[in-house]
Amino acid sequence: MTVRVGVLGCGVVGTEVIRLLTTQAADLEARAGARLELVGVAVRSLETPRDPVVDRALLTTDAEALVDRADVVVELMGGLEPARSLLLRAIERGAAVVTANKALLGADGPTLYAAADAAGVDLYFEAAVAGAIPLVRPVRESLAGDAVTRVLGIVNGTTNYVLDQMATTGADLDVAVKQAQELGYAEADPTADVAGFDAAAKAAILASLAFHTRVSVDQVHREGIGAVTAEDVAWAAETGYVIKLLAVAERVAATADHPQGVVVRVHPALVPSGHPLAGVRQAFNAVFVEADAAGELMFYGRGAGGRPTASAVLGDVVTVARHRVRGGRGPIESRYADLPVLDVGAAPTRYQVRMRVADRPGVLATVAAVFAEHGVSIEAVRQADGDDTADLLVVTHLAPESALAGTVEALGHLDAVHGVLSVLRVEGA
Ligand SMILES: NC(=O)C1=CN([C@@H]2O[C@H](COP(=O)(O)OP(=O)(O)OC[C@H]3O[C@@H](n4cnc5c(N)ncnc54)[C@H](O)[C@@H]3O)[C@@H](O)[C@H]2O)C=CC1
Ligand SMILES: N[C@@H](CC=O)C(=O)O
Ligand code: NA
């Protein structure tokens, strides 16, 4: 038996998928129970120079015609359109689809799920979250018998690489982003990485799977790393932390202010240097999943890069090919819990506030009073003296975002406070 595979997009990931399909053909055939025949590769231009592993005779600029003659469509173009239309076309024609496109799934996953369900075909996307790391399948399938309470981790390789370079080599953010692009980690437009859109899309996908609830990227509280300065990174190290861009999706209990629901957020955070997430270097990703019965699970590996991502894609291709050969189907969308997606304020966090203050008696008491007035309890204070000013660091206990925002605003009105220099959440302590 032969399964015809069409690949849409021949960039960083597409090229490596073609390499594995070509060089591992015999093993893949034995595992799938069918020959995986690469029948075409949709590209924008036939003239672009390509890796020699790509057979130029397979290139086509007619992606629709390729979709129409494939049993399995592998979408590696990225972006919303024409990826969505091509995937829907493939699904309607009865092809199984595999995609690495978190931007599309995070924005409009339900449309793809509904189409795949109606057509009775597979929709697989392991590569869309945390690259090579098996994470989608464990959350979607292995944990289907458990109740996930929280997912927390590093899901963007580019920003982890950038923050790591800033901390270890003192590299400038822009220089480190360029390096991440050269290494094949970044999105076509790296703003998607730096501003947290990519991590937010992945957080939405994970939250949807973990909590059986539709979560779109627009419902994710998102802060990127664009405002993280070399000084922030140095201060973090000085005070025993590492700055990481975290994605957190958690179930929160009902309170007088809100019903039970989920909060999904992406933001830079200070992680204690002894915490496992602090040791996640370069473009690696690591994700903790907490579930009622399983307890805490940790997933770690390469979250970006052509070859690691191709590994996840090929795992999905073999899975859907097996279904073609022997019958069976992958899971459909599970959204029965339908929990409300709550504002980030429903998930209190700890904060570190760094401010420049006048170095004179009584300032600390004045600052502490402002925190107290806003109901924000202080856990620790540290002061580094300058000539006639000092840098004051205040770490809080758990506080709602609104209370912290009120505190920061009021601090800005104090004569003794020359400026609030940074406000960072603290996680993992
Ligand atoms: N690079 C990585 O580490 C990872 C990427 N992904 C995802 O995989 C997908 C591909 O990413 P990369 O390979 O890194 O991007 P890329 O930009 O290197 O490759 C995309 C390719 O698709 C082509 N393309 C775009 N629109 C097209 C169209 N209409 N017709 C034909 N070809 C078209 C582009 O010319 C480009 O060659 C994206 O959805 C990305 O988010 C997922 C996990 C990791
Ligand atoms: N740009 C993404 C690629 C993988 O999803 C990242 O840096 O993580
Ligand atoms: Na993955």
Side-chain angles (χ1 to χ4, degrees):
M1 184 176 174
T2 296
V3 170
R4 294 165 298 171
V5 180
V7 173
L8 309 181
C10 188
V12 171
V13 181
T15 302
E16 295 309 317
V17 164
I18 292 165
R19 193 184 315 283
L20 289 183
L21 270 174
T22 310
T23 59
Q24 306 295 316
D27 283 331
L28 293 172
E29 177 174 352
R31 292 173 200 165
R35 191 164 80 88
L36 303 181
E37 184 192 359
L38 179 60
V39 293
V41 180
V43 294
R44 273 194 181 125
S45 162
L46 299 175
E47 316 307 324
T48 308
R50 307 210 177 255
D51 187 291
V53 80
V54 180
D55 178 356
R56 299 193 79 87
L58 292 175
L59 299 182
T60 175
T61 53
D62 190 346
E64 290 190 351
L66 173 57
V67 162
D68 292 350
R69 60 195 162 85
D71 302 311
V72 176
V73 169
V74 182
E75 187 274 305
L76 302 167
M77 301 187 315
L80 300 189
E81 286 295 344
R84 172 174 33 209
S85 302
L86 289 167
L87 285 174
L88 290 173
R89 184 182 180 109
I91 289 167
E92 277 153 24
R93 297 198 74 267
V97 295
V98 173
T99 179
N101 193 333
K102 49 274 158 102
L104 175 57
L105 289 163
D108 200 14
T111 300
L112 296 179
Y113 275 126
D117 194 18
V121 300
D122 279 337
L123 168 63
Y124 272 75
F125 47 91
E126 181 58 71
V129 185
I133 308 172
L135 183 59
V136 169
R137 198 173 267 109
V139 175
R140 187 156 80 144
E141 300 184 42
S142 317
L143 288 166
D146 208 337
V148 176
T149 48
R150 189 155 105 125
V151 180
L152 172 147
I154 296 164
V155 295
N156 182 268
T158 299
T159 47
N160 201 62
Y161 178 85
V162 169
L163 292 170
D164 188 41
Q165 288 295 108
M166 287 172 77
T168 56
T169 69
D172 181 65
L173 186 137
D174 293 338
V175 171
V177 169
K178 282 207 176 64
Q179 289 169 351
Q181 285 180 287
E182 281 157 22
L183 291 164
Y185 303 149
E187 295 304 299
D189 175 358
T191 312
D193 299 292
V194 174
F197 290 105
D198 180 79
K202 290 164 176 168
I205 295 168
L206 285 176
S208 302
L209 299 175
F211 304 122
H212 306 273
T213 288
R214 280 186 178 170
V215 181
S216 87
V217 66
D218 303 334
Q219 294 172 298
V220 179
H221 173 86
R222 177 185 53 80
E223 298 165 41
I225 64 162
V228 175
T229 63
E231 210 184 335
D232 293 332
V233 171
W235 263 109
E238 175 75 24
T239 50
Y241 293 102
V242 177
I243 301 181
K244 295 291 186 190
L245 183 72
L246 296 187
V248 188
E250 59 204 318
R251 208 165 41 172
V252 296
T255 68
D257 297 328
H258 58 75
Q260 185 199 182
V262 297
V263 175
V264 192
R265 52 194 165 98
V266 165
H267 52 73
L270 293 163
V271 176
S273 50
H275 190 277
L277 288 175
V280 177
R281 306 284 311 276
Q282 305 210 344
F284 280 78
N285 286 184
V287 179
F288 285 94
V289 179
E290 294 163 21
D292 278 351
E296 193 173 55
L297 305 161
M298 184 179 180
F299 299 84
Y300 172 80
R302 292 183 196 276
R307 195 166 162 79
T309 305
S311 163
V313 173
L314 261 294
D316 284 351
V317 170
V318 169
T319 301
V320 302
R322 284 175 176 157
H323 291 163
R324 295 246 143 196
V325 175
R326 298 189 194 86
R329 270 190 61 201
I332 59 169
E333 182 184 25
S334 174
R335 51 169 297 214
Y336 75 92
D338 204 16
L339 293 166
V341 182
L342 304 173
D343 183 80
V344 69
T349 54
R350 297 167 66 223
Y351 291 86
Q352 186 196 74
V353 181
R354 181 162 61 89
M355 62 204 104
R356 185 141 307 151
V357 299
D359 195 5
R360 60 171 191 253
V363 170
L364 186 53
T366 315
V367 165
V370 170
F371 279 83
E373 275 159 26
H374 290 82
V376 178
S377 157
I378 292 178
E379 182 192 292
V381 175
R382 179 180 163 143
Q383 182 169 329
D385 294 336
D387 289 341
D388 54 355
T389 62
D391 277 3
L392 188 64
L393 272 96
V394 175
V395 176
T396 73
H397 286 294
L398 289 179
E401 197 195 36
S402 55
L404 202 280
T407 308
V408 170
E409 202 199 323
L411 288 171
H413 294 140
L414 292 181
D415 283 347
V417 175
H418 298 175
V420 175
L421 305 176
S422 83
V423 179
L424 284 165
R425 287 182 168 82
V426 180
E427 289 286 346

